[in-house]
Amino acid sequence: MKRAIVIAGITAVALAPFAFNSQYLVNIAMLTALSAVMGQAWNIAGGFGQMTSFGHAAFFGVGAYTAAILQTRWGLSPWLGLPASFVTGGLLGGFIGILSFRAGLRGSYFALVTLAFAEVLRVLANSLDFTRGGLGINIPLKQGLANFQFHNRQSTYALVLLMLVLTTGVAMFIKRGRFGARLVAAGENEDAASALGVDLVRTKTIGLATSGAFTALAGVVYTQTYLYIDPSIAFGVERSIEMLLVAMIGGAGTIAGPILGAIALHAVAETSHFFIDAPGFAPLLYGATLLVIIGFLPRGIAGLGARWSRA
Amino acid sequence: MLEVRKLSKRFGGLQAVRDVDLDVAAGSITALIGPNGAGKTTTFAIIAGFIKPDDGRVRLAGQDVTGWRPDRIAAAGMARTFQITQPFAALTVAENIRVGSYLRCRSPAEAMRRARSIGEELGLGPQLDLAAGALTVAGRKRLEIARAFATLPKMLLLDEVMAGLNPTEINEIIGLIRSIRDRGVTILLIEHVMQAVAALSEHIFVLAEGAVIAQGSPQEIANAPAVIEAYLGKGAAERMQRHA
Ligand SMILES: Nc1ncnc2c1ncn2[C@@H]1O[C@H](COP(=O)(O)OP(=O)(O)OP(=O)(O)O)[C@@H](O)[C@H]1O
Ligand SMILES: [Mg+2]
């Protein structure tokens, strides 16, 4: 019964933007859903496997550049950007995973390594001709379904919503299965997990690769929506923090968490614009929000829900 | 079942394990005893793949497993418990045990069914759906055994699963260990509770300062009072005799 109400509520919220006239509001809804997609993807690594990445922008950026380069350099359909980015994001996750986990890195060491990867990629994208350096890549405007460019924000929103359903489904599937249980075990306690036959390097690497692959998809949608990508948009630390915050605020390791977190974060950010619109205020606000969550709701908004339903 | 030869491990200036030879017969219950800091847990950790030995070999059922990763050793049929219990605190008791079941079983439903039945069997029935972090010491010890047993091992290494328990709880665990052995699982246990060692084990190894200083049946060990007095403290020999 409770479950039915929650599902009905989520569906209503998700479908409401289709009735909005304001493209501004639809855009916010789209960005919120995109945050939720990224948070959900981050959560597979950071929540389930407790691989707290500070550099998930690496995957977002690689996805964005994969799609941008495929169409501007080789004239391939931007739709191909989705599977191609899924692969490049996954490969990058596998690469970072094998390197870090073979070396036994975890916790803040792992966080720093991911941060470093995103920074290195940003510097590379800034200096290579292949990525057009600091100029960034413009995608020529050619609206139409075949070009993965929509005149109407609602269409983009519909696509992102579909991706959110997909990533949420994947997260649920993982969480309920054998792989997910072993990933959670490896995240909780490495010694205990390996004593029970969990191959730590393999399990965590697959978890990070999966997370990276889905994060990269968000990069493709971003590129196709704003038709422009540059190194700091793609690999900037704000993006990494956004994903981490969305998952942690909502409740890391839970399925509903990233969705709740995305809504909460964007609601706070957007309403605060009305009161204070100074540059640098958003990061400050994010920081404060995180502190409040860590201090009062260590298990996020989803944890609050669990507390209520038990009471 | 288990054959350990010339096992050695040094931590900086400390020779924690030196030239240790152990033989554990298939289907037996064997004990490893010795004073605090003797190197018992370190020996277990090497056997189970958590610490690489400086020297020596470990063979499990005829197969050389020296230097293997812990997960491969678990897959090969040897499970261990931790002296300092290591529950997955955020998971329920049943989910904890299921991680062990998953080693030999792919289906989530079947793994859960096996986990619950092992939990029931080990006396964790009422706690199965509680968070593992909420268990008492006795509960955590049972969970350690249940999780390891859920991997369907040929050989089980139990590190002080009775420490901190009251006499009733100890008697229950003794019964559990016997029943696990009766299912064909070979057991090597580290224990300070002499009553349990005497009641359970067919063969005892005594470790002190990293080396095996005596071995034999409980009677033989009890009749080597010098060894017992020297390494387990005054009166230990007499206590063992009483229980044997
Ligand atoms: N990782 C380590 N690094 C350095 N020294 C260690 C390490 N692990 C154990 N030691 C030391 O090695 C010695 C043997 O420790 P071990 O834990 O094997 O003893 P034990 O026989 O299990 O003792 P207890 O009965 O107290 O559990 C101790 O002196 C301990 O301090
Ligand atoms: Mg010990």
Side-chain angles (χ1 to χ4, degrees), chain A residues 5 31 52 54 58 73 90 93 95 109 152 159 173 197 199 217 225-226 237 253 261 264 269 274 289 304 306 309:
Chain A
I5 293 174
L31 287 174
T52 315
F54 272 53
R73 282 203 179 257
F95 181 68
Y109 296 98
N152 182 342
L159 182 77
F173 177 77
D199 180 341
L217 292 183
T225 307
Y226 298 104
V237 73
F274 292 115
T289 313
L304 187 71
S309 60

Side-chain angles (χ1 to χ4, degrees), chain B residues 11-12 14 16-17 34-43 51 83 159-160 190 192 207:
Chain B
F11 291 124
L14 177 83
V17 177
N36 291 114
K40 305 180 295 294
T41 297
T42 307
T43 302
I51 295 177
Q83 178 175 1
D159 195 348
E160 298 204 23
I190 294 176
H192 281 301
L207 207 61

Side-chain angles (χ1 to χ4, degrees), chain B residues 77-94:
Chain B
M78 181 152 59
R80 72 169 293 194
T81 66
F82 293 89
Q83 178 175 1
I84 300 163
T85 56
Q86 311 277 352
F88 305 119
L91 305 188
T92 67
V93 170

Side-chain angles (χ1 to χ4, degrees), chain A residues 50 175-179 181-182 184-186 188-200, chain B residues 50 69-71 74 80 82 86-91 96 99-100 102-103 105-106 108 147-148 151:
Chain A
Q50 298 193 22
K175 193 166 188 196
R176 287 180 186 170
R178 176 177 187 257
F179 173 73
R182 301 177 114 202
V184 169
E188 280 276 318
N189 188 321
E190 296 203 345
D191 278 350
S194 60
L196 300 176
V198 178
D199 180 341
L200 298 175
Chain B
F50 286 82
R69 280 197 322 262
D71 57 285
R80 72 169 293 194
F82 293 89
Q86 311 277 352
F88 305 119
L91 305 188
N96 265 264
V99 176
Y102 270 134
L103 181 59
C105 165
R106 303 200 75 86
R147 247 176 13 183
T151 66

